[in-house]
Amino acid sequence: MQKIVTLLFSVTFSMFVFGQTNYQKFKALYKNNDTNQIKALLADWGKTNPDDPELYTSAFNFYYSNSKQELLSLSKQQGNKESLRLTDTTGKTAGYLGSESGYDPDKLEKAFNYINKGIERFPNRLDIRFGKCYVLQQVGDYENFTGEVIKTIVYSNTIQNNWLWTDNKKLEYAENFMLGSIQAYLKALYDTEDDNLLENMKRIGDTTLKYYPNNIEILSSTAVANMLTKNYDYALVYLKRAEVLNSKDFIVLNNIAQAYKLKGDKENAIKYYQLTEKYGDEQAKQQAGKEIKNLKN
């Protein structure tokens, strides 16, 4: 599974040299965490060269990074993170003191103000759009995250996948990269284990498949979201389309078997688990064998 963005933007730092661009200056200051000079640079940059797309990515990166903060929390039960046990005068546990990650709302608002201007001015810059998606995901704003991903998919069709990246360089293999990123976003939603986000998965999946109907991974992921919301027949529509595209894809075959199993159709479930055994890797074969045995019993 391709990882999308582990950092907002790729940054390589260098020392100040004569003729340095604002972007190069920013990277050097950012490396040294020189907050005051960065703010001064961004203010001057905005006045002298507001048409530089790197201004908006740099300011977004800076204000988002600086919005992170650790907050003390007091709870009656010990959480998964490290915490300090507090006791009363009798020695009994009174609670647990720990910390939680949070964000300064004013700084986060500044970050989004910059990135929104960046998207408006430079709509073909995929790194700017994905930077925003990354932060929305990090702060848990999944509704706006979903909306931004969908806007990106629709716009990609409008420009026929002619995306640019950092320094306005043409993004090679842009369609494959974007679709791989969308699939990773779907997986990230799934990995939250939050059933409320299954509808978000469906919305992203359906929009993607409207323009890219032959993407097997997204067909399968969208089908899984439908299975988990008990829309088994609808899930099978997606999976059968994926099977036509690749009849030996054992992940698709296994998902078809699972959909039939959940639907109560043992005959077809066994049929597709047998196909999974035939084409799957060792782990898939073992699991399919167990499923077949259970269904026959």
Side-chain angles (χ1 to χ4, degrees):
M1 183 71 62
Q2 180 185 5
K3 293 286 183 184
I4 307 170
V5 185
T6 52
L7 293 175
L8 293 185
F9 305 98
S10 175
V11 182
T12 346
F13 299 111
S14 61
M15 297 302 292
F16 281 100
V17 294
F18 180 74
Q20 197 173 37
T21 66
N22 284 323
Y23 186 41
Q24 289 171 328
K25 291 177 184 177
F26 169 79
K27 289 188 288 184
L29 291 171
Y30 190 86
K31 178 182 179 182
N32 293 323
N33 197 27
D34 196 333
T35 300
N36 290 331
Q37 286 202 49
I38 289 175
K39 288 181 179 179
L41 171 65
L42 292 175
D44 181 66
W45 195 350
K47 293 176 182 177
T48 59
N49 193 6
D51 293 325
D52 183 357
E54 311 317 322
L55 163 64
Y56 302 95
T57 61
S58 299
F60 177 62
N61 199 28
F62 168 69
Y63 281 110
Y64 166 64
S65 298
N66 277 270
S67 73
K68 297 178 184 178
Q69 55 188 10
E70 288 292 322
L71 305 173
L72 289 178
S73 63
L74 182 63
S75 60
K76 292 184 178 180
Q77 295 182 337
Q78 187 172 19
N80 295 328
K81 295 182 179 179
E82 185 177 345
S83 59
L84 176 66
R85 186 171 73 94
L86 304 177
T87 58
D88 59 22
T89 55
T90 65
K92 292 182 179 180
T93 300
Y96 295 90
L97 184 65
S99 64
E100 294 181 355
S101 296
Y103 298 91
D104 181 300
D106 293 332
K107 292 177 181 178
L108 201 58
E109 183 180 7
K110 285 184 179 180
F112 281 119
N113 284 340
Y114 270 106
I115 207 67
N116 289 336
K117 288 178 183 177
I119 292 172
E120 182 181 353
R121 286 172 174 255
F122 311 100
N124 291 29
R125 280 284 295 267
L126 187 58
D127 61 320
I128 299 179
R129 291 177 182 268
F130 276 176
K132 182 179 179 182
C133 290
Y134 172 79
V135 171
L136 288 170
Q137 182 183 354
Q138 291 300 301
V139 302
D141 187 351
Y142 289 108
E143 191 57 34
N144 282 316
F145 165 80
T146 299
E148 198 62 44
V149 172
I150 288 173
K151 288 178 187 176
T152 301
I153 296 164
V154 173
Y155 192 74
S156 192
N157 178 71
T158 302
I159 62 171
Q160 298 182 339
N161 305 304
N162 288 314
W163 288 108
L164 302 175
W165 200 254
T166 307
D167 293 324
N168 276 343
K169 291 180 180 178
K170 181 178 175 60
L171 183 61
E172 299 295 330
Y173 310 107
E175 180 178 336
N176 289 339
F177 177 78
M178 187 201 68
L179 290 174
S181 300
I182 299 303
Q183 170 63 8
Y185 285 142
L186 291 173
K187 184 178 183 300
L189 289 172
Y190 173 82
D191 286 344
T192 65
E193 299 183 355
D194 183 349
D195 289 347
N196 294 320
L197 297 180
L198 294 172
E199 293 300 325
N200 298 61
M201 286 183 65
K202 291 182 194 177
R203 286 162 56 195
I204 292 173
D206 284 336
T207 303
T208 307
L209 294 170
K210 176 181 177 181
Y211 302 106
Y212 309 94
N214 296 328
N215 188 283
I216 292 176
E217 290 79 11
I218 292 174
L219 281 166
S220 190
S221 294
T222 310
V224 167
N226 278 280
M227 270 196 282
L228 291 172
T229 50
K230 300 183 179 180
N231 295 316
Y232 306 126
D233 289 330
Y234 206 45
L236 283 165
V237 170
Y238 288 109
L239 291 168
K240 289 300 185 72
R241 281 166 57 186
E243 184 188 13
V244 170
L245 294 167
N246 184 354
S247 62
K248 296 180 181 180
D249 188 316
F250 69 88
I251 294 175
V252 171
L253 297 171
N254 184 76
N255 286 341
I256 294 175
Q258 183 72 1
Y260 278 126
K261 173 189 168 183
L262 293 170
K263 220 185 136 179
D265 186 340
K266 288 187 178 182
E267 182 179 349
N268 275 312
I270 290 171
K271 172 186 173 182
Y272 278 93
Y273 278 128
Q274 288 173 336
L275 289 170
T276 304
E277 271 192 314
K278 181 177 180 180
Y279 297 113
D281 59 18
E282 195 57 39
Q283 182 180 356
K285 288 178 180 179
Q286 290 180 9
Q287 184 61 37
K290 291 178 182 178
E291 294 284 358
I292 292 168
K293 184 177 179 181
N294 291 335
L295 286 167
K296 287 184 174 179
N297 289 336

